[in-house]
Amino acid sequence: MTTTSRCSSSLRFADGFHRQLAQLNDGRLRATRTSGDPEADLDREIQIRRLELAYIEHERGVISDRIAHVPTQVNAFIDWFESLKQHGPGQGDALFPWLAEYASLSQMRWFLTQEVAGEAGFDDLVALTQLGLPDQAKLELARNYWDEMGRGRQEGMHGLMLRNTSVELKLAPRIDFTVWEALALANTMLALASSRRYAYQSIGALGVVELTAPTRVSKVCEGLRRLGISTKGYRYFQLHAGLDIKHSEDWNREVLRPLVLADPACAKLIAEGALLRLRCGERCFERYRREFGIGQLSHQQAA
């Protein structure tokens, strides 16, 4: 594919596409009563699957050159995966030091509205991804899910903590007020987790969130504390700044390592998922900086 045709194809999977898919995905994971027209439900699901397939396969094509160089020997692969924390797309972005030090309350509210709208629900994504995995990987995803569920305590549920932030800051995320880059992130994560075709990509995408999130969320937490938000309001970010470091270590040891050791070919699929997720984040950060009128710094300056 030429550069021109690739850019033209990429435009297809931008604003209008992701708004349409986000509308179709709205409520997709919610439990509902058996009512309405089952054939219409089936047609809607097929429509979603076709849109997801076209989009994910396009994105896989965009990163195919980079995937070709991913090592499949287990130790080399883990080293490559862990290096994404420093060198992956979107890492060291200037947005987060700026949020920590300079963002106003209204700017922080706008940023978090986008982030909440782009949140696909990590607990549900983990639950979907663990289906049919080998025992060791399934057990680690179960432990991760149990942490997301507050280890059985409602007040400790991570999703509830994020909702507490939304309530305190009076956030009202809506698809029509959300930038398409944030919608694309949520659409991507759900597309990977909901299809067994992309099970390994979902493992990579979830694993790289655990790997890269601590630095970013710690900066968001700093900004919220600077702005006078309560402990309840920033608890979600404070918790993940530390907990995700352990989650990442466990994920790499208990999920990635045994999977690649058993089947080296899955390394490139896991890598695809990681890069797809990081590319989504990078697009979001660039869009947010444009909204705030701030530029990008070097990785060293932004660190």
Side-chain angles (χ1 to χ4, degrees):
M1 182 182 291
T2 66
T3 301
T4 301
S5 62
R6 180 172 289 176
C7 290
S8 176
S9 180
S10 295
L11 290 175
R12 173 189 169 197
F13 299 106
D15 196 314
F17 175 89
H18 283 292
R19 292 193 190 282
Q20 177 191 12
L21 185 53
Q23 290 283 3
L24 290 168
N25 277 331
D26 187 37
R28 185 178 173 193
L29 298 185
R30 283 199 295 268
T32 60
R33 294 187 296 274
T34 305
S35 60
D37 182 356
E39 291 294 332
D41 290 343
L42 181 59
D43 289 343
R44 180 172 176 272
E45 183 66 23
I46 291 172
Q47 181 184 11
I48 291 172
R49 295 291 186 178
R50 290 192 185 282
L51 292 171
E52 288 177 337
L53 182 65
Y55 166 62
I56 295 298
E57 289 303 308
H58 169 264
E59 291 294 292
R60 291 180 70 204
V62 170
I63 62 174
S64 59
D65 290 347
R66 185 164 183 178
I67 295 300
H69 303 291
V70 172
T72 57
Q73 191 278 331
V74 64
N75 290 330
F77 173 73
I78 295 298
D79 289 344
W80 176 89
F81 191 89
E82 292 181 342
S83 76
L84 293 173
K85 185 173 183 179
Q86 286 75 39
H87 306 297
Q91 301 314 292
D93 197 284
L95 172 69
F96 294 93
W98 183 86
L99 289 170
E101 299 175 25
Y102 303 113
S104 66
L105 180 58
S106 64
Q107 289 169 327
M108 184 66 80
R109 289 183 69 245
W110 184 90
F111 162 76
L112 288 174
T113 298
Q114 306 305 311
E115 290 290 282
V116 170
E119 167 63 39
F122 200 87
D123 51 351
D124 288 338
L125 297 176
V126 170
L128 289 169
T129 300
Q130 61 81 35
L131 296 171
L133 291 184
D135 291 346
Q136 188 171 354
K138 183 182 279 282
L139 282 170
E140 182 53 38
L141 268 68
R143 286 187 284 267
N144 191 294
Y145 180 80
W146 190 233
D147 279 347
E148 290 287 326
M149 291 292 99
R151 295 185 164 268
R153 297 178 299 105
Q154 184 176 10
E155 64 273 17
M157 293 173 66
H158 296 185
L160 179 59
M161 292 182 191
L162 186 58
R163 288 196 292 275
N164 289 338
T165 300
S166 293
V167 169
E168 179 159 344
L169 274 73
K170 299 181 173 61
L171 307 182
R174 286 173 44 181
I175 290 173
D176 52 341
F177 291 154
T178 303
V179 299
W180 73 262
E181 293 87 347
L183 299 177
L185 192 156
N187 289 340
T188 300
M189 296 299 286
L190 183 52
L192 298 180
S194 62
S195 172
R196 303 322 292 153
R197 173 184 175 85
Y198 299 123
Y200 289 111
Q201 284 89 343
S202 186
I203 288 168
L206 294 171
V208 87
V209 171
E210 302 285 25
L211 177 72
T212 62
T215 302
R216 294 195 301 273
V217 297
S218 68
K219 293 298 184 183
V220 176
C221 185
E222 286 179 37
L224 290 172
R225 294 176 67 177
R226 172 179 57 80
L227 292 166
I229 303 305
S230 72
T231 303
K232 186 177 182 180
Y234 66 69
R235 176 60 177 150
Y236 174 86
F237 300 95
Q238 182 184 52
L239 175 69
H240 284 271
L243 182 61
D244 283 355
I245 295 174
K246 182 179 186 305
H247 277 175
S248 178
E249 293 171 351
D250 294 344
W251 195 280
N252 294 356
R253 183 185 64 253
E254 301 294 328
V255 181
L256 303 190
R257 181 173 289 278
L259 288 177
V260 174
L261 191 61
D263 179 11
C266 77
K268 293 184 182 293
L269 305 180
I270 293 170
E272 276 187 346
L275 290 177
L276 291 176
R277 172 58 180 81
L278 291 180
R279 275 171 44 82
C280 286
E282 182 178 48
R283 285 195 294 258
C284 287
F285 308 156
E286 290 172 351
R287 177 64 181 270
Y288 301 163
R289 281 191 282 102
R290 290 200 303 273
E291 293 288 332
F292 295 139
I294 59 177
Q296 173 63 299
L297 306 176
S298 69
H299 280 32
Q300 291 75 22
Q301 289 174 305

Coordinates of all heavy atoms in Angstrom, one line a residue, residues 8 15 17 25 28 109 119 145-146 153 195 207 229 256 260 281 294 298:
S8 N -5.3 7.8 3.0 CA -6.7 7.9 2.6 C -7.5 6.8 3.3 O -8.6 7.1 3.8 CB -6.8 7.7 1.1 OG -8.2 7.6 0.7
D15 N -13.3 10.1 12.5 CA -14.4 10.6 13.3 C -15.7 9.9 13.1 O -16.3 9.3 14.0 CB -14.5 12.1 13.0 CG -15.3 12.8 14.0 OD1 -16.4 12.3 14.4 OD2 -14.9 13.9 14.5
F17 N -16.6 7.2 11.6 CA -16.5 5.7 11.8 C -16.6 5.4 13.3 O -17.4 4.6 13.7 CB -15.3 5.1 11.2 CG -15.1 3.7 11.4 CD1 -15.6 2.7 10.6 CD2 -14.4 3.2 12.6 CE1 -15.5 1.4 10.8 CE2 -14.3 1.9 12.8 CZ -14.8 0.9 12.0
N25 N -21.8 0.3 20.0 CA -21.3 -0.4 21.2 C -21.9 0.0 22.5 O -21.8 -0.6 23.5 CB -19.8 -0.2 21.3 CG -19.0 -1.1 20.4 OD1 -19.4 -2.2 20.1 ND2 -17.8 -0.6 20.0
R28 N -23.5 -2.4 24.9 CA -23.3 -3.7 24.3 C -23.1 -4.8 25.4 O -23.5 -5.9 25.3 CB -22.2 -3.7 23.3 CG -21.9 -4.9 22.5 CD -20.8 -4.7 21.6 NE -20.4 -5.9 20.9 CZ -19.3 -6.0 20.2 NH1 -18.5 -5.0 20.1 NH2 -19.0 -7.1 19.6
R109 N -11.2 18.8 34.0 CA -12.5 18.2 33.8 C -12.7 17.8 32.3 O -13.2 16.7 32.1 CB -13.6 19.2 34.2 CG -13.7 19.4 35.7 CD -14.9 20.4 36.1 NE -16.1 19.7 35.8 CZ -17.0 20.0 34.9 NH1 -16.8 21.1 34.1 NH2 -18.2 19.3 34.8
E119 N -13.1 5.0 28.4 CA -12.9 3.8 29.3 C -13.9 2.7 29.0 O -15.1 2.8 29.1 CB -13.1 4.3 30.8 CG -13.2 3.2 31.8 CD -12.0 2.4 31.9 OE1 -10.9 3.0 31.8 OE2 -12.1 1.2 32.1
Y145 N -8.7 -9.6 37.8 CA -10.1 -9.2 37.9 C -10.6 -9.1 39.3 O -11.3 -8.2 39.6 CB -10.9 -10.4 37.2 CG -12.4 -10.1 37.2 CD1 -13.0 -9.3 36.3 CD2 -13.2 -10.8 38.1 CE1 -14.3 -9.1 36.2 CE2 -14.6 -10.6 38.1 CZ -15.1 -9.7 37.2 OH -16.5 -9.5 37.2
W146 N -10.1 -9.9 40.2 CA -10.4 -9.9 41.6 C -10.0 -8.5 42.2 O -10.7 -7.9 43.0 CB -9.8 -11.0 42.4 CG -10.3 -11.2 43.8 CD1 -9.5 -11.4 44.9 CD2 -11.7 -11.4 44.2 NE1 -10.3 -11.6 46.0 CE2 -11.6 -11.6 45.6 CE3 -12.9 -11.4 43.6 CZ2 -12.8 -11.7 46.4 CZ3 -14.1 -11.5 44.3 CH2 -14.0 -11.7 45.7
R153 N -15.0 -6.3 48.0 CA -15.6 -5.2 48.7 C -16.0 -4.2 47.8 O -15.3 -3.7 46.9 CB -14.5 -4.6 49.7 CG -14.0 -5.6 50.8 CD -12.9 -4.9 51.6 NE -11.8 -4.5 50.8 CZ -11.5 -3.3 50.4 NH1 -12.2 -2.3 50.8 NH2 -10.4 -3.0 49.7
S195 N -13.6 -10.7 20.7 CA -13.4 -11.6 19.6 C -12.3 -12.6 20.0 O -11.2 -12.2 20.2 CB -13.1 -10.9 18.3 OG -12.7 -11.8 17.3
G207 N -2.1 -5.9 28.9 CA -0.8 -6.0 29.5 C 0.0 -4.7 29.4 O 0.7 -4.2 30.3
I229 N -8.9 18.5 44.8 CA -9.9 17.4 44.7 C -9.7 16.5 46.0 O -8.6 16.3 46.4 CB -9.7 16.6 43.4 CG1 -9.9 17.6 42.2 CG2 -10.7 15.5 43.4 CD1 -11.2 18.4 42.2
L256 N 2.3 -13.5 29.9 CA 3.1 -13.4 28.6 C 4.2 -14.5 28.5 O 4.3 -15.1 27.5 CB 3.8 -12.0 28.5 CG 2.8 -10.8 28.6 CD1 3.6 -9.6 28.2 CD2 1.7 -11.0 27.6
V260 N 4.1 -17.4 25.5 CA 5.2 -17.3 24.4 C 6.1 -18.5 24.5 O 6.5 -19.0 23.5 CB 6.0 -16.0 24.5 CG1 7.1 -16.0 23.5 CG2 5.0 -14.8 24.3
G281 N -3.6 5.5 22.4 CA -3.3 6.4 23.4 C -2.5 7.6 22.9 O -2.8 8.8 23.2
I294 N -0.8 23.1 23.8 CA 0.6 22.9 24.3 C 1.3 22.0 23.3 O 0.7 21.2 22.6 CB 0.6 22.2 25.7 CG1 -0.2 20.9 25.7 CG2 -0.1 23.1 26.8 CD1 -0.2 20.1 27.0
S298 N 10.6 16.6 24.2 CA 11.3 15.4 24.1 C 11.0 14.4 25.2 O 10.5 14.9 26.3 CB 12.9 15.6 24.1 OG 13.3 16.0 25.4

